[in-house]
Amino acid sequence: MTDIMFAWSALGGDPALLSRVSTVVRPGPLEARLPVRELARACVGACALAAAELAARRAGLDEVPAVTVDDQAVAAAFHSERHLLIDGRAPVAFAPLSRFWRTADGWVRTHANYPHHRARLLEALGVSQGPEGPEGSEDPEAVAAVAAALAERSSAEAEETVCAASGLAVALRTPEEWAAHEQAAEVARRPLVERERLGTGLARVLPPQAGAPLLPAAGLRVLDLTRVLAGPVATRTLALLGADVLRLDAPQLPELPDQHADTGFGKRSATLDLAADRRTFEELLAAADVVVTGYRPGALDRFGLSPEALAERRPGLVVAQLSAWGAYGPWRGRRGFDSLVQAASGIAVLEGSAERPGALPAQALDHGTGYLLAAAVLRALTEQSREGGGRLVRLALARTAQWLTTEIGPGAAGEAGHAARGEAGSRLAETDSAIGRLRYALPPVSFAGGPADWVRPATPWGSDAPRWA
């Protein structure tokens, strides 16, 4: 229980409640050189325990419901984007320009899944910006031109050139090289979960909950201002637990359809121009209980969406912030994704070979941080129910990477569990939706009396009105 103990402590949880958690250990899932399985168990277990704790408080139970962390369920959920089928079609995971490239002195990892990120990458490298090919393909001439442009540069030069153009590229670093970096030093100084009081306003009193299943987030209104992948995983989990989750996106920045289908379960999706329609946003904020943001630190401040500004206009609010590199240090303003953090932090070296960088068996930084973010929101709500006041919680993919590479002991999470066997297929389900027939991974957050599935699948991106249910 060592690793879930660490996560639960970072969330401010009562250590006595850890006795309510049991683990079903299954051989095989999430095997890696790094203790990915232990991280996944700890993140999901902490989230489930936070949900059970809040459920007990709202239902007036004398004891927190028992929590079960099943390796099979956890592994299926951490691969949710790979298990997804839409009318029998497997989604496209990474665009052809999102990959490792050889440089003059090593490797660089780029991310160009979104059209605007692809355009910035090509512009930074002086490559002609022809149209994108069919889904999952790319103009071979563009691929060859990017390869040639990066091969002429050092990894550090490639990183700086692309980042200066607001694109996404990171030089491959060893763990030692990352540890010596100023950003890594800033990350290491921070707790896994940053938790602060945010004003003194009273939170909305949630009514007692009765009946089955136990839905600890029932009645909560959550504004979801997140994209890819950790933030949407967190809000998908809050939707599972009963929250009314409304995702808002800028109309000019469409979400990738397959990503939205995977992480949109239980939510509604609307578009809103924050600059042009502030009145609608302020009406939504006035009735919100939680705001979750997943943009780089400071990006939303110009819209009056800093935690302090939000809490001033909506006292008692819980604000949850997620970023790639953290809200501090020289990289605080940089864009980032799970794959880039793996490359920068030494994970790709540790999981790779002498010939080529590697990767974790799942986007574990995204998924793990997403469940921790949901757990932090749930724990903040429990604290609010006793103490009042607003709350701010912050997590960063780079800090989760620090935990994975230096602080988790392999095998520790399974010591108190029992072995069992099972296939991922039993953790998959199918449903019809407006998007098509969906095969999807069932949620891994499990506690006695809690929900087993979302009440509805994802809706098409931007198809809902920007208002509360």
Side-chain angles (χ1 to χ4, degrees):
M1 299 290 288
T2 304
D3 302 314
I4 188 174
M5 186 184 302
F6 182 86
W8 187 242
S9 175
L11 293 163
D14 179 358
L17 295 182
L18 290 168
S19 63
R20 304 300 296 155
V21 182
S22 63
T23 305
V24 179
V25 179
R26 301 182 189 269
L30 300 175
E31 287 186 346
R33 293 171 185 164
L34 288 166
V36 177
R37 187 182 310 162
E38 287 71 34
L39 176 140
R41 287 173 182 154
C43 293
V44 170
C47 185
L49 186 56
E53 178 191 31
L54 182 57
R57 182 156 181 82
R58 292 194 62 188
L61 303 179
D62 293 331
E63 188 174 46
V64 169
V67 168
T68 301
V69 185
D70 188 324
D71 279 356
Q72 179 187 357
V74 172
F78 270 56
H79 289 122
S80 65
E81 66 275 13
R82 300 184 195 178
H83 288 306
L84 180 71
L85 294 179
I86 305 172
D87 288 332
R89 175 187 63 82
V92 175
F94 284 96
L97 297 184
S98 298
R99 49 174 274 198
F100 280 106
W101 306 82
R102 283 279 192 184
T103 62
D105 62 350
W107 296 87
V108 69
R109 183 67 161 86
T110 57
H111 196 288
N113 285 5
Y114 285 102
H116 57 293
H117 291 157
R118 173 185 179 270
R120 292 167 185 169
L121 173 66
L122 296 179
E123 179 182 5
L125 299 177
V127 175
S128 175
Q129 296 189 34
E132 292 183 83
E135 189 175 24
S137 67
E138 180 61 79
D139 177 9
E141 292 185 5
V143 175
V146 170
L150 290 171
E152 295 175 350
R153 293 171 165 85
S154 69
S155 299
E157 180 189 0
E159 177 181 280
E160 291 303 321
T161 298
V162 175
C163 288
S166 297
L168 291 130
V170 164
L172 179 72
R173 290 173 171 83
T174 66
E176 294 75 21
E177 288 169 337
W178 176 242
H181 195 281
E182 186 179 349
Q183 185 63 34
E186 289 288 343
V187 168
R189 293 188 188 105
R190 298 309 199 283
L192 179 64
V193 181
E194 295 183 81
R195 304 160 53 245
E196 301 175 19
R197 289 291 293 258
L198 192 63
T200 58
L202 295 177
R204 184 164 64 94
V205 177
L206 295 172
Q209 195 219 345
L214 294 171
L215 296 172
L220 285 167
R221 299 188 181 106
V222 178
L223 274 180
D224 179 2
L225 309 178
T226 70
R227 293 168 79 85
V228 210
L229 177 64
V233 166
T235 51
R236 181 180 69 181
T237 303
L238 295 175
L240 167 75
L241 299 170
D244 178 14
V245 178
L246 178 62
R247 173 163 167 169
L248 293 180
D249 286 282
Q252 69 273 20
L253 292 175
E255 180 60 285
L256 301 174
D258 291 347
Q259 284 181 169
H260 179 70
D262 174 43
T263 59
F265 277 79
K267 312 178 195 177
R268 292 175 299 113
S269 170
T271 59
L272 187 69
D273 188 328
L274 291 178
D277 195 356
R278 286 309 297 265
R279 179 177 178 179
T280 297
F281 179 82
E282 294 302 325
E283 290 173 350
L284 291 170
L285 175 63
D289 302 294
V290 180
V291 174
V292 185
T293 68
Y295 293 82
R296 57 199 171 90
L300 297 176
D301 289 6
R302 68 183 186 277
F303 298 109
L305 301 183
S306 69
E308 295 75 17
L310 288 169
E312 183 176 349
R313 303 200 303 282
R314 173 63 176 91
L317 191 69
V318 173
V319 180
Q321 288 191 321
L322 171 80
S323 63
W325 308 107
Y328 37 75
W331 283 16
R332 67 180 304 275
R334 286 200 179 188
R335 297 167 175 84
F337 293 94
D338 182 306
S339 59
L340 300 184
V341 177
Q342 288 191 42
S345 65
I347 289 174
V349 170
L350 293 171
E351 293 292 340
S353 66
E355 291 74 33
R356 187 172 181 83
L360 298 175
Q363 294 187 69
L365 305 181
D366 264 334
H367 285 278
T369 308
Y371 288 110
L372 282 179
L373 189 66
V377 170
L378 295 166
R379 287 248 59 254
L381 294 167
T382 297
E383 291 178 351
Q384 272 192 336
S385 70
R386 297 189 179 103
E387 305 165 9
R391 295 292 189 281
L392 169 63
V393 295
R394 283 197 180 107
L395 286 95
L397 302 185
R399 183 60 185 86
T400 304
Q402 167 83 12
W403 182 33
L404 175 64
T405 55
T406 66
E407 297 167 352
I408 295 182
E415 292 172 358
H418 56 279
R421 292 190 175 274
E423 300 298 327
S426 64
R427 293 300 308 173
L428 305 180
E430 293 194 15
T431 187
D432 291 317
S433 76
I435 299 171
R437 182 72 177 174
L438 301 179
R439 186 192 76 175
Y440 62 100
L442 290 165
V445 173
S446 177
F447 60 93
D453 199 353
W454 292 276
V455 296
R456 58 177 178 268
T459 60
W461 180 83
S463 62
D464 296 291
R467 60 172 178 261
W468 294 115

